[in-house]
Amino acid sequence: STMTLLGAQATRESILGSRDTFFKQCTGNDVAIVFLSGHGVKDGNNNYFYVTSDTDMIAPYKRGMKWRDFQEDLVAALPVQKVFLLADTCHAGAMAGTKGADDYKELIEKLAKATGRATLWSSNSSSNSVEQRDLKHGLFTLALLEALAAPSPANLNQDAVVSIQELVRYVSERV
């Protein structure tokens, strides 16, 4: 199943509310994939905020989605063993604290284990994501779409399945 929140639908309440509506149907054996695409900002304390449709850019803490709250209120509460978070926003690397956008070794190790939560982001904590106006999305999203298309250029071993390792490798090389 998929759930899409676009434009005015993407409020703090609707994102967090998805835990009690959409994600309620998940079981422990499911894999939850959460993809965020939009704007991201940092405040003066280096806290990352996902910009919801009603965020005040001067005071993102009022209506924006603080990453720590997103992790604690949504992701940690999911009834699943595996969660894969993907984010195509400026400053997305700030989600991971001090890690840079090129540190995918830990991501691959987490996803290879039986359980875990991992994040793949489009930019490090101090950089912007590149968006092409004609595409209406970022280059990170373009690389994801390419990797998941059939036939996939990311499917290096040609087994008709794009593994997480192949996805991460392809996206990191393209972006």
Side-chain angles (χ1 to χ4, degrees):
S1 295
T2 61
M3 176 181 182
T4 304
L5 298 173
L6 299 173
Q9 298 172 323
T11 63
R12 177 180 174 78
E13 287 77 18
S14 63
I15 294 169
L16 290 177
S18 68
R19 176 192 65 206
D20 299 323
T21 57
F22 178 76
F23 287 110
K24 190 174 188 173
Q25 63 188 318
C26 294
T27 67
N29 294 326
D30 290 329
V31 176
I33 300 172
V34 179
F35 175 69
L36 299 172
S37 180
H39 299 287
V41 296
K42 293 188 305 181
D43 67 9
N45 295 320
N46 213 30
N47 293 309
Y48 172 86
F49 291 86
Y50 178 69
V51 177
T52 58
S53 64
D54 55 350
T55 297
D56 177 352
M57 295 299 283
I58 295 174
Y61 59 89
K62 289 182 179 178
R63 299 291 307 147
M65 177 68 67
K66 189 173 184 179
W67 187 248
R68 187 178 65 225
D69 295 341
F70 180 83
Q71 289 277 47
E72 293 172 3
D73 295 341
L74 178 66
V75 177
L78 295 178
V80 297
Q81 297 294 315
K82 291 185 180 184
V83 179
F84 189 21
L85 301 167
L86 301 110
D88 190 359
T89 75
C90 293
H91 311 293
M95 296 174 196
T98 60
K99 293 183 181 180
D102 297 325
D103 186 8
Y104 293 116
K105 182 179 178 187
E106 183 180 347
L107 166 70
I108 293 171
E109 289 173 2
K110 282 182 177 181
L111 292 172
K113 292 179 183 177
T115 62
R117 288 165 168 72
T119 306
L120 180 61
W121 53 90
S122 62
S123 60
N124 66 31
S125 65
S126 61
S127 66
N128 294 324
S129 290
V130 178
E131 184 175 332
Q132 284 190 272
R133 194 173 292 277
D134 59 322
L135 294 175
K136 297 186 179 179
H137 54 69
L139 295 182
F140 177 83
T141 299
L142 175 64
L144 284 173
L145 292 170
E146 290 172 352
L148 298 174
S152 174
N155 187 12
L156 299 176
N157 62 5
Q158 301 300 307
D159 66 352
V161 175
V162 177
S163 70
I164 294 296
Q165 291 84 354
E166 289 171 323
L167 177 72
V168 170
R169 183 177 296 119
Y170 182 81
V171 171
S172 64
E173 287 174 2
R174 289 280 288 140
V175 179

